[in-house]
Amino acid sequence: MIVIESLTKRYGSATAVDAVSMVIERNSLTVIVGTSGSGKSTLLRMINRLVEPTSGRVLIEGRDTESEPGHTLRRRIGYVIQGHGLFPHRTVAENVATVPRLLKWEEARIRARTEQLLAALQLDPALYSEKYPHQLSGGQQQRVGVARALAAEPAVLLMDEPFGALDPIIREKAQDDLLDIQRKFGTTIVLVTHDIDEAFRLGDRVAVMSEGRLLQYDRPEVLVTRPADSIVARMTGSAERAMRLLSLTTAGEAALPLASDGGKEDAPVVRASASLREVLSELLWRGSEIATIVDENGTPCGRLTVAAILARGRPS
Amino acid sequence: MRRAATLLRLAGLGLLLAFLLAPQLFAPLFAPLTEGGAPPIYDQGNLGMLALAHLATVLAACLGSTVLAVALGILVTRAGGQEFLPLSRAVVSFGQTFPPVAVLALAVPLVGFGEKPTLIALFLYGLLPIFENTVVGLRTCPAAVLEAASGMGMSARQRLLTVELPLAMPLILEGIRISLVINIGTATLGSTVAAKGLGEVIIAGLLSNNTAFVLQGGLATGLMAVLLYDAVAALERRLCRTARID
Ligand SMILES: Nc1ncnc2c1ncn2[C@@H]1O[C@H](COP(=O)(O)OP(=O)(O)OP(=O)(O)O)[C@@H](O)[C@H]1O
Ligand SMILES: [Mg+2]
């Protein structure tokens, strides 16, 4: 758990971050979103003390981050930035091994961990370990950046616009991978973006910032249904809010029990992991009132009606 | 192309070594330049030994310049050291603009004749290119790379030694290379204050009006400078191949 207590950063007379307080639960993915210059990066960098706060404090698992030197604190916190910042004079394997080397792990352990991570990020170790960053594509560089940040098994991972430089298709893949990794390693992730769709897609909780202040910090559906003020409402897109709401729930979560007769034979079949927005779109397209939900093995596990979906698009 | 360059390099090295170790082989070439039965090949000392002494003086001075210039370059690119930049720049520029001959003239009364005044003159003369290149090399490290280094938990020292200096190394080497080459030529002046070196050959030629000697001293010095330049450039290329900034 990360506790942020009225954290403030001033540069001269300008206030970059203004008395922000928030609690970030363990194993959650928190997204900080806001317009350019709203203080997102500064807030993130105060968590690992790349930026020293003017006032306020940060507690990680109850321990004040000021209680140890900044550089040893940062070895326990993963950090990924836009444009990855890989070391151009070091191979992929050496890049990933950066923090374990600083922590003086044994070579065998470093090698095993490096290979495990590269494989987990779909970079075949045999193929990529000895390559230099300039020999990789943007998407591959980004994944090496994530592998490097996770190398020393940090409990907390900070990411500053990690997908900013990727094209939309690769970005979506990278977002899925991140969710997988979070599930697999149970890391507490704090991610900064100015892309509200990315925030909604990834965040268990979303923090909206403007001009250094934290406007609202809550679950995505609350941001849509009960925005704290007009800035949040504008950012979450009031015209699209019903659709946004639908995109936050999966078919599996909203599924009704299967009808005893097994359901209609010709009903469209959708995956449980699809969002309600996708299911509604499919039903409209097929002109059907009802869809059959299947799990990842293709076994029917429920059904959804247009009426049930529409009900989910209204604030409860 | 690469093969041709290598061959040329080896040929140059072979030529220099042959001339320094067995200069009499070249007597017929230089004979037309002499008059009145003067010796066509320098005969007042061993050319090989002179060349070695010449090289040793230049390398020693260059080592000194490198240590000071790189240290200053590091200092003025640290957060706390920026205020020393104008002063450091003034000092090294002065070292370059103050004529080495004048340095020799001023140093002799203080440290006597021989290698010492030459070392001082070359040391001062060689600072500027190394210093400027070190500053540029350290300043142009990509910001994202530096942020990542700190973000990974490197101390300022670790970041300097394992990230900044390796990335700046090609430029630093280039500065060293320029400094070396300039000083191979400048070191011939040392012979006016009795330092051992190829300048002796040139001065002997001037004193006895023997063009062959002057040419021999000049050519040997020039060839040595070109070969050294080439060797350091090859080292730079090796480093650049890996330390590539995308
Ligand atoms: N080192 C600094 N010195 C002075 N001002 C700074 C510094 N770093 C940030 N600021 C200012 O603080 C404010 C917040 O900057 P920050 O980088 O946190 O914004 P951001 O929300 O991350 O923006 P972006 O989306 O463009 O990255 C900006 O007005 C910025 O100019
Ligand atoms: Mg930012």
Side-chain angles (χ1 to χ4, degrees):
Chain A
M1 191 165 74
I2 305 172
V3 180
I4 294 172
E5 286 178 2
S6 90
L7 210 51
T8 299
K9 180 66 189 183
R10 287 197 197 88
Y11 291 107
S13 60
T15 306
V17 172
D18 193 358
V20 168
S21 297
M22 59 198 284
V23 174
I24 294 164
E25 293 299 335
R26 196 187 293 181
N27 300 346
S28 68
L29 202 164
T30 298
V31 179
I32 304 172
V33 68
T35 49
S36 185
S38 55
K40 308 180 293 292
S41 298
T42 308
L43 176 61
L44 192 77
R45 285 182 203 162
M46 282 194 283
I47 297 177
N48 68 2
R49 282 179 55 206
L50 272 179
V51 171
E52 293 290 348
T54 307
S55 64
R57 59 178 195 160
V58 178
L59 308 170
I60 298 181
E61 302 304 334
R63 192 163 156 210
D64 193 329
T65 53
E66 294 287 339
S67 64
E68 68 177 305
H71 66 273
T72 60
L73 169 75
R74 286 190 282 276
R75 289 173 194 172
R76 297 191 287 110
I77 301 178
Y79 187 53
V80 180
I81 50 178
Q82 177 168 13
H84 60 75
L86 294 178
F87 303 128
H89 59 305
R90 293 193 178 172
T91 62
V92 166
E94 288 166 344
N95 264 285
V96 175
T98 304
V99 186
R101 289 243 158 82
L102 289 172
L103 292 171
K104 306 204 160 46
W105 283 17
E106 279 173 26
E107 275 308 310
R109 184 176 169 205
I110 294 178
R111 202 167 328 114
R113 178 67 178 163
T114 305
E115 289 186 2
Q116 178 201 9
L117 275 170
L118 287 178
L121 286 152
Q122 289 131 44
L123 292 162
D124 181 359
L127 231 57
Y128 291 101
S129 289
E130 299 310 314
K131 285 216 185 333
Y132 284 89
H134 72 267
Q135 297 172 310
L136 306 181
S137 74
Q140 291 168 336
Q141 290 172 340
Q142 196 274 335
R143 276 179 275 160
V144 177
V146 174
R148 179 175 66 175
L150 291 171
E153 299 164 2
V156 176
L157 175 63
L158 307 179
M159 309 181 92
D160 195 344
E161 307 208 21
F163 311 124
L166 304 181
D167 67 57
I169 293 179
I170 298 186
R171 180 188 307 200
E172 204 162 299
K173 173 88 176 66
Q175 291 168 343
D176 287 341
D177 289 348
L178 182 67
L179 290 171
D180 278 348
I181 281 172
Q182 203 227 356
R183 247 169 262 136
K184 193 147 142 199
F185 296 113
T187 316
T188 306
I189 300 179
V190 186
L191 182 147
V192 163
T193 181
H194 55 244
D195 177 351
I196 190 76
D197 288 317
E198 181 165 274
F200 275 56
R201 193 172 139 82
L202 295 177
D204 296 317
R205 283 172 157 250
V206 175
V208 182
M209 287 189 74
S210 175
E211 294 174 351
R213 287 179 307 114
L214 179 61
L215 299 182
Q216 191 168 11
Y217 171 46
D218 219 316
R219 293 195 313 280
E221 60 270 26
V222 179
L223 257 56
V224 176
T225 52
R226 294 195 299 275
D229 64 12
S230 59
I231 300 179
V232 179
R234 189 146 20 96
M235 206 176 292
T236 54
S238 41
E240 273 196 76
R241 57 193 170 190
M243 286 319 231
R244 266 200 209 293
L245 215 47
L246 289 184
S247 66
L248 289 171
T249 310
T250 65
E253 287 163 354
L256 308 168
L258 273 174
S260 49
D261 59 2
K264 265 169 66 186
E265 290 288 310
D266 57 346
V269 172
V270 293
R271 286 166 297 113
S273 59
S275 73
L276 289 185
R277 182 179 184 156
E278 291 168 289
V279 180
L280 182 61
S281 172
E282 180 68 14
L283 288 178
L284 288 175
W285 188 251
R286 302 275 292 267
S288 171
E289 280 290 321
I290 193 161
T292 305
I293 316 295
V294 295
D295 62 18
E296 58 259 51
N297 305 320
T299 320
C301 58
R303 66 195 168 89
L304 266 176
T305 61
V306 171
I309 296 175
L310 292 185
R312 290 270 185 168
R314 284 189 292 273
S316 44
Chain B
M1 201 54 215
R2 289 274 293 278
R3 286 262 310 269
T6 312
L7 280 180
L8 202 64
R9 232 168 258 154
L10 287 176
L13 186 64
L15 188 67
L16 182 66
L17 288 179
F19 179 69
L20 293 177
L21 298 175
Q24 291 306 331
L25 290 177
F26 297 81
L29 276 176
F30 287 101
L33 295 170
T34 57
E35 293 161 9
I41 294 294
Y42 182 69
D43 58 354
Q44 296 163 29
N46 182 322
L47 280 174
M49 295 312 285
L50 287 181
L52 269 186
H54 192 106
L55 193 62
T57 309
V58 171
L59 289 180
C62 190
L63 185 67
S65 315
T66 303
V67 170
L68 181 66
V70 172
L72 276 181
I74 291 171
L75 173 73
V76 302
T77 49
R78 298 307 96 185
Q82 274 158 358
E83 62 227 68
F84 296 104
L85 181 59
L87 178 67
S88 306
R89 193 162 261 163
V91 169
V92 295
S93 304
F94 185 72
Q96 172 107 92
T97 44
F98 203 80
V101 186
V103 177
L104 288 179
L106 289 173
V108 167
L110 296 175
V111 298
F113 284 91
E115 256 77 54
K116 279 186 202 155
T118 314
L119 279 174
I120 294 173
L122 297 184
F123 164 75
L124 290 176
Y125 205 47
L127 286 171
L128 182 74
I130 307 178
F131 174 75
E132 288 297 339
N133 276 29
T134 304
V135 171
V136 173
L138 290 174
R139 275 208 182 141
T140 52
C141 284
V145 172
L146 297 183
E147 189 182 341
S150 299
M152 296 296 117
M154 289 189 191
S155 64
R157 206 180 108 97
Q158 288 166 330
R159 189 175 96 162
L160 174 70
L161 293 179
T162 62
V163 179
E164 295 180 70
L165 282 177
L167 288 181
M169 197 48 76
L171 268 179
I172 296 177
L173 275 179
E174 186 182 298
I176 294 175
R177 177 169 60 132
I178 295 169
S179 167
L180 265 179
V181 169
I182 296 175
N183 273 345
I184 290 264
T186 312
T188 53
L189 292 173
S191 305
T192 58
V193 294
K196 289 265 165 246
L198 289 168
E200 261 183 62
V201 183
I202 298 173
I203 289 176
L206 290 173
L207 290 178
S208 61
N209 212 358
N210 184 337
T211 318
F213 284 10
V214 176
L215 202 61
Q216 280 157 37
L219 285 176
T221 311
L223 200 52
M224 204 151 87
V226 170
L227 286 170
L228 207 57
Y229 183 88
D230 203 50
V232 184
L235 188 65
E236 272 172 56
R237 276 197 301 277
R238 265 188 81 109
L239 280 173
C240 288
R241 245 207 315 270
T242 48
R244 175 101 151 252
I245 298 170
D246 47 344

